[in-house]
Amino acid sequence: MMSPEKMIRMANQIATFFHSQPSEAQADRVADHINDFWEPRMRRQLLDHIAQGGEGLDPLVLDAAQKLRTPV
Amino acid sequence: MKDFIIPDDRDMGTPAKTGAPVSLSIDGFDVTVPEGTSVMRAAAEAGLEIPKLCASDNMEAFGSCRLCVVEIEGRRGTPASCTTPVAEGMVVRTQSGKVKKIRRGVMELYISDHPLDCLTCSANGDCELQDMAGMVGLRDVRYSAPEGGGLANHFEARDSSGEANPEWAPKDESNPYFTFDPSKCIVCSRCVRACEEVQGTFALTIEGRGFDSRVSAGASLDDFMSSDCVSCGACVQACPTATLQEKSVIELGTPERSVVTTCAYCGVGCAFKAELNGDELVRMVPYKHGKANRGHSCVKGRFAYGYAAHKDRILSPMIRDHVDEPWREVGWDEALSFAARKMRGLQETYGRRSIGVITSSRCTNEETYLVQKLARQVFANNNTDTCARVCHSPTGYGLGQTLGTSAGTQDFDSVEHTDVAVVIGANPTDAHPVFASRLKKRLREGAKVIVIDPRRIDLVKSAHVEAAHHLPLKPGTNVAVVTAMAHTIVTEGLMDEAFIRERCDWDEFMEYAEFVSDPRHSPEATEMLTGVPAADLRAAARLFATGGNGAIYYGLGVTEHSQGSTTVIGIANLAMMTGNVGRPGVGVNPLRGQNNVQGSCDMGSFPHELPGYRHVKNPDVREVYEDLWGVKIDDEPGLRIPNMLDAAVDGSFKGLYCQGEDILQSDPDTKHVAAGLAAMECVIVHDLFLNETANYAHVFLPGSTFLEKDGTFTNAERRINRVRKVMAPRSGYADWEVTQLLANAMGGEWAYQHPSEIMDEIAATTPSFSGVSYDLLEEKGSVQWPCNEAHPDGTPLMHVDGFVRGKGRFIVTEYVATEEKTGPRYPLLLTTGRILSQYNVGAQTRRTDNVIWHDEDVLEIHPHDAEVRGVKEGDWVKLASRIGDTSLRAKVTDRVSPGVVYTTFHHPDTQANVITSDFSDWATNCPEYKVTAVQVSPSNGPTDWQEDYAAQAARARRILPAAQ
Ligand code: SF4
Ligand code: SF4
Ligand code: SF4
Ligand code: FES
């Protein structure tokens, strides 16, 4: 859908923000943000990329993966 | 035809005052007015008009004409009523034999130096001099030039012997929209005062004294065009004679009817009277009861409406199977069924989510509501987005998270109570001119302004305005600067602790305070990064925190960054920590770009939100619409504009209905946008002109201008203003009707008869709009949402008794450098903006005489950067980024700092967006227009890309002659 670099960049930008937040639940908040704003195709692409190892993704995005809603 | 009844529109002579009531008697009538009111205004309040020439109620009294004299019991002489304040128990006579004689004498003098060509004068019937001559009963003029003494007047070019009259001056016709005919001037100086007091430009002066005095634009050799005049029209409106007169009135005659409507250009949302003869628009006059503009205007709304009648307008629907083919003009039915067939076919082949819509910030609320409804109800998906994506989406996120609503907190009147204004990433004198005039007025009264902008904008220094501080930050470092300001305020103990404890979450504040107090956020630590001298930054922060009512105004220079949302959060933090929320004079004020950015967001244009900012994941919200529309609403967010283009290139997004937007010109990374559009199988463009996006369209549906339809716009202060139809749509249908026809061609079964019914549906489904109706707008003129049971008259100020979200929330704002970095190949930072005379992509303003002020985009470059590259003023230069290149002419100026270049994006030939990258805000995908690493080098003219583009555009715009 997006170029892989662009997708990775966008996901990491979100992670970067929540990294800076003094919160226990940073991964939840990354997942919430992506669930709220990313269209199913985009989440599919992200999940597929994670399934293949998630190269280039911020660890926080990987942590968030389980909380991402699977697109139907 | 039902026209809005214009409320009392009289000129009351002097401005309204607020003060304790004072009672007096005028011609035997008792009247009570606020202290400080002039006798003239008091009389007007009682319905008694005193003759006047130099007074007008939008400027302070001047007392020069002496036509307004009255007698006051117990006072000697005959004081001028415009400059005499009322006093308790005063007894005034406006019509004694003595004052009548004086007035007639005054008029006689005026008329003796005024041509008597009333019948052929362009102001005939609309001339205060004429009215006053009638009112004072002037019957003869006894003055004449002394025998053999030469001409003693200003209005005859030559005397009877053919000798030139040295007092005479020719008409100045240099301004495209109005003329200045000195022979008709009575030197009342209303124009001069309007330019100073209302507009704040100080372009006009009175030169000379006594009989020799005359009005002059700029220095004596200047004309209006070469002076500082910004063509706002305030002087033209103020002029009681035909001296300053709209050219359209000279050409078309005085108008006989008027309709109140709203400017369709910027987010200030000025109210205008459209003055017409039949359906011919003669002029647009700012409406004094307009609550956003209070009778003022700028060149765009006042004069630049000629595009509505421009020959380039497309008035017939057109279709084509392929974008390489020329267009075929067809009837509405054929175009709509062609479009509907294609769109439905795409959904059958590629799935429900393969098509979408883009709504426009230029269209009315009702139109926008229908376009998103088309996606949600008829397409059954949430693929709807708006151009606000590319401007103020970070405002929605940032203010929503901190304060609980994306709404700007104030009305424009609030600026009259501001003591310290902070202007960040906005250039109001160009982009929000009428707000700028109101701000400058407040600055002349002693308020201070802090400008945070890479460029030395006019607010930094211009006539009678000087910023207390200008922080010329490096593009892309907003978060660092805003956080350093917070550091200063917190570490120096300047915050408003009582406010924070009462109104905000104290624990979150403590976390935030700990974060900002870290020395790495100090102005000294970030100086290298931001380029802002630490001492200046500290001084600015102190001034904001301690200088009284502090208001922050910001624009796209804040939002259009990869950390746009974070900066908005930082701005909200600053306002909360200093207690600057919830009363007049303070607040967080996003200056919205286009006329209806606010409204298009309110109306559910975003793919994740139903109208009223309610997420599609919430079943209770979906249910409201499911019950009404009889369909299931998708619970997944849809595609945002950049995502639509990505999906198109990827082959899963195939059809787009784009209303009133030109994404090819306005969105970043033009080549990527073009590739996305080219990959779609059905692009429907609904617009006034064959815009750039239409180069890739298969269906063109002609649009209607704001003059041709009913509706509402919502301005930057959340004010819902009526747009009123003053003439029939030239293409046959108003835009809301076209969307309805398209929906119905796809089986929508809509049956709206009038936009008021659409507003009724909006009110019935959106809590913050539940009190809004056309009847209410008719009654009140305008209303600011939330407007509902709790706020039946609307809400001028937000968060008065508490934040919308309950407790205000401080959020940590860590600076993260954008990935867009300068380096050896691209050592300069490009930032973009706009100028006064042009609007957005320029589709409208380029089709008016406004091009006189800006006929091409130029690249501003610092003399130092220009010199090392061998670039001189006016040279063609190539502007290249890692994305693409284009060429334009250079303007060498120290308005930009070394290392920064600046341009506008009003002209398609320049295509500044060929350069801009697809980097975007982390939270909202709002593109990072404001920072691109570039290189500048001399060039000979347009690049190959520009030539290819122009050729493709020319090919794509061919229209087959209509079949017989
Ligand atoms: S048009 Fe506006 S800026 Fe120009 S001289 Fe008149 S008042 Fe001043
Ligand atoms: S140009 Fe008009 S407003 Fe200005 S001084 Fe002359 S008559 Fe008065
Ligand atoms: S462009 Fe903006 S400031 Fe100018 S008249 Fe229109 S709404 Fe007012
Ligand atoms: S109107 Fe009062 S002096 Fe001119």
Side-chain angles (χ1 to χ4, degrees):
Chain A
M1 177 67 222
M2 300 163 274
S3 74
E5 303 81 58
K6 184 166 170 180
M7 177 195 67
I8 293 165
R9 185 172 67 236
M10 280 166 49
N12 287 353
Q13 273 182 297
I14 295 167
T16 306
F17 179 80
F18 289 109
H19 265 306
S20 71
Q21 299 305 306
S23 153
E24 316 280 271
Q26 291 172 336
D28 289 357
R29 297 180 63 190
V30 170
D32 287 348
H33 190 91
I34 293 178
N35 285 333
D36 278 356
F37 294 99
W38 285 31
E39 202 256 1
R41 267 167 275 192
M42 302 167 66
R43 296 205 310 272
R44 171 89 278 149
Q45 190 187 0
L46 178 61
L47 286 166
D48 288 350
H49 183 74
I50 293 171
Q52 282 159 28
E55 195 189 329
L57 285 173
D58 189 305
L60 193 50
V61 179
L62 299 176
D63 282 355
Q66 285 152 34
K67 302 258 167 51
L68 288 179
R69 216 171 35 221
T70 316
V72 276
Chain B
M1 193 185 59
K2 182 168 144 269
D3 277 356
F4 174 60
I5 311 299
I6 293 179
D8 187 358
D9 213 10
R10 284 178 305 151
D11 186 332
M12 309 295 278
T14 61
K17 299 284 173 197
T18 47
V22 173
S23 297
L24 67 161
S25 145
I26 305 179
D27 293 343
F29 296 95
D30 291 330
V31 47
T32 304
V33 292
E35 194 180 348
T37 305
S38 69
V39 169
M40 173 180 278
R41 190 173 175 107
E45 304 273 1
L48 305 164
E49 195 184 342
I50 301 174
K52 63 180 188 311
L53 275 172
C54 68
S56 180
D57 60 10
N58 61 346
M59 49 184 104
E60 292 304 321
F62 192 57
S64 72
C65 74
R66 301 237 356 114
L67 199 62
C68 69
V69 290
V70 291
E71 286 196 83
I72 297 174
E73 246 171 49
R75 296 211 189 170
R76 288 207 310 199
T78 48
S81 61
C82 63
T83 49
T84 307
V86 293
E88 188 61 42
M90 204 179 224
V91 178
V92 180
R93 290 181 62 210
T94 73
Q95 298 294 342
S96 68
K98 188 167 162 196
V99 298
K100 285 200 276 194
K101 188 152 169 264
I102 297 174
R103 289 178 193 156
R104 241 174 257 147
V106 168
M107 270 320 284
E108 202 173 348
L109 256 175
Y110 273 120
I111 298 303
S112 70
D113 191 10
H114 195 84
L116 296 177
D117 57 358
C118 284
L119 281 181
T120 52
C121 176
S122 60
N124 188 16
D126 182 26
C127 171
E128 291 179 43
L129 190 65
Q130 217 173 38
D131 296 346
M132 290 306 129
M135 196 173 166
V136 306
L138 182 70
R139 293 297 169 253
D140 53 358
V141 176
R142 289 159 303 172
Y143 296 99
S144 57
E147 281 292 316
L151 286 175
N153 71 48
H154 295 91
F155 61 85
E156 282 170 294
R158 295 177 181 281
D159 69 12
S160 49
S161 69
E163 202 58 36
N165 175 5
E167 303 292 345
W168 180 84
K171 262 192 186 184
D172 176 348
E173 301 197 90
S174 60
N175 183 290
Y177 298 119
F178 60 83
T179 62
F180 172 62
D181 180 357
S183 72
K184 295 194 165 162
C185 180
I186 59 169
V187 205
C188 65
S189 96
R190 271 163 68 164
C191 53
V192 177
R193 289 177 288 136
C195 191
E196 293 177 5
E197 294 178 31
V198 180
Q199 164 59 24
T201 291
F202 295 79
L204 302 178
T205 48
I206 302 271
E207 284 189 346
R209 327 193 92 221
F211 182 74
D212 288 330
S213 59
R214 59 179 80 227
V215 171
S216 161
S220 50
L221 289 177
D222 276 330
D223 57 17
F224 270 79
M225 238 3 237
S226 63
S227 74
D228 290 338
C229 168
V230 293
S231 197
C232 71
C235 57
V236 180
Q237 203 187 345
C239 182
T241 66
T243 312
L244 284 160
Q245 182 83 59
E246 296 91 350
K247 286 185 179 172
S248 61
V249 172
I250 296 175
E251 192 190 321
L252 303 171
T254 39
E256 50 85 20
R257 70 181 183 104
S258 70
V259 182
V260 173
T261 190
T262 304
C263 176
Y265 281 117
C266 87
V268 177
C270 297
F272 278 87
K273 282 197 296 182
E275 299 193 339
L276 306 101
N277 283 317
D279 72 346
E280 183 174 59
L281 183 60
V282 177
R283 66 177 166 189
M284 298 285 283
V285 183
Y287 179 47
K288 69 190 274 192
H289 298 298
K291 293 190 183 110
N293 55 319
R294 305 277 175 199
H296 190 34
S297 64
C298 85
V299 60
K300 293 191 286 286
R302 176 79 149 97
F303 295 118
Y305 50 79
Y307 70 88
H310 197 276
K311 64 174 174 33
D312 286 355
R313 265 192 73 183
I314 305 286
L315 302 174
S316 162
M318 305 191 295
I319 57 174
R320 58 184 171 191
D321 286 311
H322 197 274
V323 298
D324 292 337
E325 294 169 5
W327 286 104
R328 264 189 308 128
E329 291 187 359
V330 294
W332 280 100
D333 285 347
E334 189 178 346
L336 291 161
S337 55
F338 177 87
R341 211 168 43 239
K342 279 206 160 210
M343 293 296 250
R344 277 294 185 229
L346 290 172
Q347 285 192 300
E348 276 157 30
T349 315
Y350 300 101
R352 180 166 57 88
R353 291 181 180 144
S354 64
I355 63 174
V357 301
I358 296 179
T359 74
S360 174
S361 302
R362 254 164 263 176
C363 289
T364 63
N365 287 319
E366 293 75 5
E367 287 155 359
T368 311
Y369 179 84
L370 289 191
V371 174
Q372 62 87 30
K373 175 172 175 178
L374 177 71
R376 298 197 154 109
Q377 185 203 24
V378 181
F379 297 178
N381 65 38
N382 284 317
N383 290 334
T384 165
D385 206 359
T386 169
C387 53
R389 168 69 48 215
V390 302
C391 65
H392 265 292
S393 50
T395 293
Y397 183 83
L399 298 188
Q401 293 291 313
T402 47
L403 311 180
T405 166
S406 61
T409 62
Q410 311 297 112
D411 57 6
F412 284 133
D413 285 351
S414 160
V415 75
E416 292 169 11
H417 307 278
T418 297
D419 299 311
V420 181
V422 181
V423 176
I424 313 183
N427 186 5
T429 53
D430 280 283
H432 301 88
V434 165
F435 166 69
S437 290
R438 300 188 67 178
L439 171 62
K440 288 199 284 186
K441 185 169 189 175
R442 182 67 190 151
L443 298 179
R444 288 194 304 276
E445 289 165 5
K448 304 269 192 308
V449 65
I450 298 166
V451 174
I452 306 181
D453 199 285
R455 231 170 124 247
R456 200 179 68 229
I457 59 172
D458 283 350
L459 276 181
V460 173
K461 196 165 178 16
S462 52
H464 297 258
V465 171
E466 185 161 6
H469 301 281
H470 174 213
L471 311 184
L473 77 180
K474 223 184 263 165
T477 60
N478 289 330
V479 171
V481 169
V482 168
T483 306
M485 287 182 76
H487 172 95
T488 308
I489 292 169
V490 170
T491 55
E492 297 188 10
L494 306 176
M495 61 275 188
D496 183 344
E497 191 178 323
F499 181 93
I500 303 170
R501 281 190 183 276
E502 185 194 329
R503 303 282 302 266
C504 306
D505 185 313
W506 182 255
D507 292 340
E508 271 164 345
F509 174 71
M510 289 313 286
E511 280 174 359
Y512 175 77
E514 193 189 323
F515 161 79
V516 290
S517 303
D518 193 314
R520 71 196 166 91
H521 298 301
S522 71
E524 292 71 21
T526 49
E527 175 171 338
M528 280 300 287
L529 176 79
T530 62
V532 178
D536 286 358
L537 196 150
R538 279 193 186 269
R542 285 175 199 136
L543 176 62
F544 174 68
T546 60
N549 285 341
I552 306 179
Y553 291 88
Y554 72 89
L556 306 185
V558 160
T559 53
E560 289 175 348
H561 288 281
S562 53
Q563 277 200 294
S565 292
T566 316
T567 311
V568 174
I569 290 169
I571 286 171
N573 289 342
L574 281 179
M576 289 189 293
M577 77 175 66
T578 51
N580 278 313
V581 188
R583 61 177 194 277
V586 300
V588 180
N589 303 275
L591 292 169
R592 317 265 173 175
Q594 306 195 57
N595 52 327
N596 203 33
V597 171
Q598 180 72 54
S600 74
C601 299
D602 301 341
M603 291 299 109
S605 295
F606 288 136
H608 64 286
E609 278 171 349
L610 285 155
Y613 305 96
R614 293 167 296 166
H615 203 285
V616 294
K617 70 185 174 190
N618 298 317
D620 56 323
V621 182
R622 289 202 307 278
E623 203 181 298
V624 173
Y625 294 92
E626 288 174 344
D627 289 349
L628 188 67
W629 297 345
V631 295
K632 201 169 150 27
I633 305 284
D634 195 345
D635 62 354
E636 283 281 12
L639 294 166
R640 300 170 287 193
I641 295 172
N643 315 142
M644 287 181 191
L645 295 164
D646 287 333
V649 172
D650 194 44
S652 69
F653 188 79
K654 290 289 187 178
L656 177 67
Y657 169 46
C658 185
Q659 183 184 60
E661 264 318 302
D662 194 359
I663 55 169
L664 182 57
Q665 199 187 337
S666 63
D667 285 34
D669 194 0
T670 308
K671 287 180 190 171
H672 182 62
V673 180
L677 288 168
M680 294 185 206
E681 292 177 21
C682 181
V683 175
I684 305 168
V685 167
H686 181 181
D687 212 310
L688 300 174
F689 304 104
L690 274 177
N691 61 17
E692 304 305 309
T693 307
N695 296 347
Y696 293 93
H698 307 83
V699 180
F700 186 91
L701 302 174
S704 46
T705 68
F706 75 113
L707 299 167
E708 299 165 14
K709 60 200 183 187
D710 280 304
T712 55
F713 292 149
T714 307
N715 76 353
E717 22 156 42
R718 296 169 276 109
R719 184 181 300 288
I720 306 165
N721 278 312
R722 273 283 269 126
V723 178
R724 290 187 178 82
K725 179 169 160 180
V726 305
M727 58 178 72
R730 290 184 66 209
S731 68
Y733 291 112
D735 293 331
W736 64 271
E737 294 175 286
V738 174
T739 305
Q740 169 158 294
L741 288 168
L742 179 62
N744 288 345
M746 296 181 70
E749 295 180 18
W750 298 357
Y752 302 104
Q753 300 290 321
H754 188 271
S756 63
E757 299 172 12
I758 307 173
M759 182 53 86
D760 292 342
E761 182 173 321
I762 296 166
T765 51
T766 315
S768 49
F769 276 70
S770 63
V772 181
S773 69
Y774 277 34
D775 285 343
L776 182 86
L777 294 172
E778 219 59 27
E779 182 196 318
K780 302 216 177 291
S782 67
V783 67
Q784 288 171 273
W785 68 258
C787 173
N788 47 27
E789 251 171 40
H791 307 276
D793 295 333
T795 312
L797 299 176
M798 300 289 288
H799 315 294
V800 174
D801 302 313
F803 286 103
V804 169
R805 73 179 298 281
K807 292 276 186 191
R809 180 166 158 226
F810 285 89
I811 298 179
V812 166
T813 53
E814 184 76 66
Y815 169 71
V816 179
T818 167
E819 289 180 43
E820 184 69 21
K821 290 191 176 70
T822 53
R825 281 186 63 201
Y826 303 110
L828 302 171
L829 282 178
L830 169 73
T831 182
T832 58
R834 50 183 144 167
I835 63 154
L836 171 67
S837 58
Q838 299 287 351
Y839 173 72
N840 198 267
V841 296
Q844 290 140 310
T845 43
R846 272 186 285 117
R847 291 181 173 93
T848 68
D849 287 327
N850 277 25
V851 290
I852 289 192
W853 287 280
H854 183 83
D855 57 0
E856 60 181 338
D857 296 320
V858 296
L859 184 78
E860 291 189 5
I861 182 167
H862 189 271
H864 173 76
D865 291 324
E867 200 190 324
V868 297
R869 288 170 177 75
V871 169
K872 293 186 302 298
E873 176 78 14
D875 282 358
W876 276 97
V877 292
K878 184 167 107 168
L879 176 68
S881 74
R882 66 188 165 79
I883 305 290
D885 55 42
T886 188
S887 62
L888 68 178
R889 283 180 204 275
K891 182 181 162 85
V892 179
T893 169
D894 63 3
R895 268 187 169 225
V896 288
S897 310
V900 176
V901 290
Y902 167 87
T903 189
T904 49
F905 58 92
H906 300 302
H907 288 270
D909 309 337
T910 334
Q911 290 286 5
N913 282 322
V914 176
I915 310 295
T916 50
S917 76
D918 66 351
F919 288 172
S920 63
D921 175 47
W922 68 268
T924 65
N925 248 200
C926 176
E928 185 165 52
Y929 285 108
K930 298 291 180 182
V931 202
T932 313
V934 293
Q935 177 58 296
V936 173
S937 55
S939 92
N940 310 323
T943 62
D944 291 349
W945 191 86
Q946 277 167 299
E947 284 177 0
D948 292 350
Y949 181 89
Q952 194 276 342
R955 252 196 337 273
R957 288 208 174 101
R958 288 168 305 159
I959 301 176
L960 280 184
Q964 291 302 312

